[in-house]
Amino acid sequence: MWRLKKPFAIYIFLLLLLVPVNAFAEEFRVESGRSIQSAVEDAGNGDTILVSPGVYKENVMIDKEITIKGEEGAIIDGGGKGNVIIVTASNVVLEGLTIQNGGTGQEDSGIFIKKAHHNVIKNNTLKNVQNGIYIANSNENKLLGNRIASNESHFSERGNGIHMFKGEGHLLKENEIAKVQDGIYFDFTKGIKLQGNHISESRYGMHFMFSEGILAERNHVEKNVTGLMVMDSARIDFIENKVTDHFHFRGYGILIYETKEVLVEGNEILRNSTGLSLEYGVDTLINRNQIAANQVGLEFMGKNENNTFSKNNFIGNVVQSKISGEDMRLDDGVKGNYWDDYSSFDLSGDGVGEEAYKAGSLYDRLLRKQPYWQFFFESPSIKLWTKAEALFPSFGSADVYDARPLIEPVIMLQETEQLSKDRGIPGIIGILFILFSILVIVKGRKLR
């Protein structure tokens, strides 16, 4: 008898293994006036808690693999004490909640994720909190479409929008962050992707410290003190971001300090106090960027080594470049950059000027030490001085030059896409016109 039952039992056991773990998950609903924490304690791994509209004045601890979804108007209010929500479990989902009024301690946050992985924090609103979302010693969490603002105070008294301490593999996508200290802070992190985030009205849009292997693409940072601040980090890629309107007197669009292997490609760096600054940067590649309408377009401080510039447009900067430090070449040996104040000619017709572009004039150097010399900008005497310097380069400071300056501005990727779209519309209209003409001809023949 046992010989007949044993294979059958094994078969049943194997079938059970194929059943998803959450096949037995339950769904709870929390109504206004009830406790979310009580629902968490009653739930098991895989369960979902639906939160009805209302204000829930409590702090919530999540130590199970559960999902909490808030309906419109579902508000968790921390009452000004500590973290509003603490997550210590993996595979947690928090979605659609308004989270407010956390404590004011240094690490107090709207959501604090501690030693937990693979969580999804999606479409939540966090306001009046010290830090928005704090992730410590955790890996591969996803932060998607959240809206974050700190307290109504000076940025020095606020926390960060998203703070990551020791971890890797996170994805931050399409979050809206404003009025915090630093929008996104990287502290001993690596392997992180940022896409489509918008950060404004803070100290630094993104602040990288002791971090590596990070990709930031198609983000928009604007109206902060500094847009992107990179220090003591490596292998940071900035691709197709917009870095605009950082007009603070100590502000920068992008500041790279004591960092190596940075890629800055296809970005718009517009209307900043200083567009792009390198200080002790090593092995950086600056390629196909629009650096325009800044007070200072490009700045070098200290010793910078093995950095390559090519196919960038420097247009309409009040001061094109400010140089102090070591000699440097600003082209890749084949292509240089477009400088709108370049005045030489392309006699060979290859799109490259016949004379090198000299960056960093003596006037620029004096301007750094004596800012009131700005008063003489574009004056006849300064123009004459600049012309004389071009004829006698030894007048200048460090020998920083572009040996292959471009005669025409580089068409950027975004402009190429726009041109393709613009060209596509007449094409579609033309095809429709041809089809209509054929239809008229066919109909005309049938009527004969």
Side-chain angles (χ1 to χ4, degrees):
M1 188 66 181
W2 167 245
R3 289 180 179 175
L4 293 174
K5 287 185 175 178
K6 187 175 180 181
F8 181 73
I10 293 173
Y11 178 70
I12 295 297
F13 176 73
L14 292 173
L15 281 177
L16 288 173
L17 288 179
L18 296 174
V19 175
V21 174
N22 62 359
F24 305 106
E26 292 188 57
E27 190 172 277
F28 296 81
R29 175 172 289 278
V30 180
E31 301 290 350
S32 181
R34 311 288 288 184
S35 168
I36 297 172
Q37 183 64 54
S38 295
V40 171
E41 290 169 3
D42 292 340
N45 286 337
D47 287 351
T48 297
I49 297 172
L50 300 175
V51 182
S52 299
V55 179
Y56 301 82
K57 294 190 175 182
E58 58 183 322
N59 301 83
V60 180
M61 164 71 81
I62 301 172
D63 56 1
K64 301 172 181 175
E65 298 183 3
I66 60 173
T67 295
I68 299 180
K69 289 186 179 180
E71 296 180 349
E72 187 174 354
I75 301 170
I76 304 179
D77 189 317
K81 295 182 294 185
N83 300 294
V84 182
I85 297 176
I86 298 179
V87 178
T88 59
S90 298
N91 301 310
V92 170
V93 178
L94 299 177
E95 182 177 356
L97 297 162
T98 295
I99 298 160
Q100 64 183 29
N101 297 334
T104 56
Q106 185 175 359
E107 295 186 356
D108 286 345
S109 307
I111 300 172
F112 193 104
I113 299 173
K114 185 178 181 182
K115 295 182 179 178
H117 319 297
H118 309 291
N119 299 298
V120 178
I121 311 300
K122 183 177 180 182
N123 295 337
N124 299 286
T125 298
L126 299 101
K127 58 184 182 180
N128 199 28
V129 290
Q130 185 69 10
N131 298 282
I133 301 172
Y134 199 113
I135 308 174
N137 299 291
S138 304
N139 301 323
E140 299 186 27
N141 294 285
K142 294 181 179 178
L143 279 53
L144 313 172
N146 299 287
R147 297 165 296 281
I148 302 171
S150 187
N151 305 303
E152 288 294 334
S153 58
H154 188 267
F155 63 72
S156 62
E157 297 177 358
R158 300 171 184 158
N160 301 316
I162 297 171
H163 188 118
M164 291 169 283
F165 174 69
K166 289 187 177 178
E168 62 181 85
H170 304 307
L171 171 64
L172 280 59
K173 188 173 181 180
E174 296 176 359
N175 296 286
E176 187 80 24
I177 303 170
K179 297 181 179 177
V180 296
Q181 186 170 95
D182 296 345
I184 301 175
Y185 193 103
F186 307 79
D187 195 5
F188 293 98
T189 58
K190 60 182 179 180
I192 294 172
K193 289 184 179 179
L194 305 111
Q195 297 173 327
N197 300 284
H198 180 212
I199 304 165
S200 63
E201 301 175 81
S202 302
R203 185 181 65 169
Y204 302 148
M206 297 183 190
H207 190 175
F208 304 79
M209 292 292 294
F210 313 114
S211 294
E212 60 179 322
I214 295 174
L215 167 63
E217 60 181 353
R218 296 189 297 280
N219 302 282
H220 187 188
V221 290
E222 63 171 339
K223 299 176 183 175
N224 308 285
V225 173
T226 287
L228 306 173
M229 176 75 166
V230 189
M231 296 181 67
D232 295 296
S233 296
R235 295 190 293 110
I236 311 294
D237 292 349
F238 297 119
I239 298 177
E240 296 179 20
N241 300 284
K242 292 184 178 180
V243 184
T244 62
D245 300 291
H246 299 99
F247 274 126
H248 193 278
F249 73 97
R250 292 186 302 175
Y252 298 85
I254 301 176
L255 174 57
I256 297 171
Y257 178 78
E258 290 193 349
T259 292
K260 60 183 180 181
E261 296 182 54
V262 176
L263 171 64
V264 182
E265 185 173 76
N267 301 280
E268 293 182 2
I269 305 169
L270 313 176
R271 301 182 301 276
N272 303 285
S273 183
T274 297
L276 173 62
S277 177
L278 270 71
E279 187 169 354
Y280 302 102
V282 179
D283 295 330
T284 64
L285 175 58
I286 316 294
N287 184 37
R288 301 184 69 86
N289 299 285
Q290 192 89 323
I291 303 174
N294 302 284
Q295 184 75 17
V296 176
L298 177 64
E299 179 185 72
F300 292 113
M301 302 282 285
K303 187 175 183 179
N304 295 280
E305 297 180 282
N306 197 29
N307 303 299
T308 303
F309 289 74
S310 65
K311 302 176 187 173
N312 301 288
N313 289 332
F314 290 87
I315 299 173
N317 299 297
V318 176
V319 174
Q320 199 78 288
S321 57
K322 188 183 287 187
I323 311 295
S324 81
E326 305 289 323
D327 297 350
M328 186 184 299
R329 183 169 171 171
L330 297 174
D331 60 270
D332 63 5
V334 179
K335 295 284 185 181
N337 310 276
Y338 176 76
W339 310 84
D340 68 348
D341 57 340
Y342 181 64
S343 57
S344 187
F345 304 98
D346 175 21
L347 300 178
S348 61
D350 62 354
V352 176
E354 302 305 327
E355 295 181 3
Y357 175 84
K358 182 75 165 46
S361 66
L362 185 56
Y363 167 67
D364 298 340
R365 191 179 181 186
L366 289 171
L367 195 63
R368 185 169 60 85
K369 294 181 178 179
Q370 305 292 344
Y372 61 83
W373 274 61
Q374 181 69 50
F375 180 78
F376 300 104
F377 177 68
E378 289 288 299
S379 66
S381 57
I382 293 298
K383 285 184 177 179
L384 182 61
W385 189 347
T386 303
K387 196 66 180 176
E389 198 175 354
L391 296 173
F392 305 99
S394 57
F395 282 10
S397 54
D399 192 13
V400 180
Y401 64 97
D402 182 346
R404 307 285 294 171
L406 303 178
I407 295 298
E408 297 290 338
V410 178
I411 297 176
M412 299 297 170
L413 179 63
Q414 301 91 325
E415 294 172 308
T416 305
E417 290 174 349
Q418 186 60 44
L419 283 173
S420 299
K421 290 177 183 176
D422 293 344
R423 288 169 182 166
I425 293 171
I428 293 170
I429 294 172
I431 291 170
L432 291 173
F433 180 75
I434 291 170
L435 291 174
F436 179 74
S437 301
I438 293 172
L439 181 65
V440 170
I441 292 169
V442 171
K443 288 285 186 185
R445 286 180 176 176
K446 286 182 178 179
L447 291 174
R448 286 181 179 178

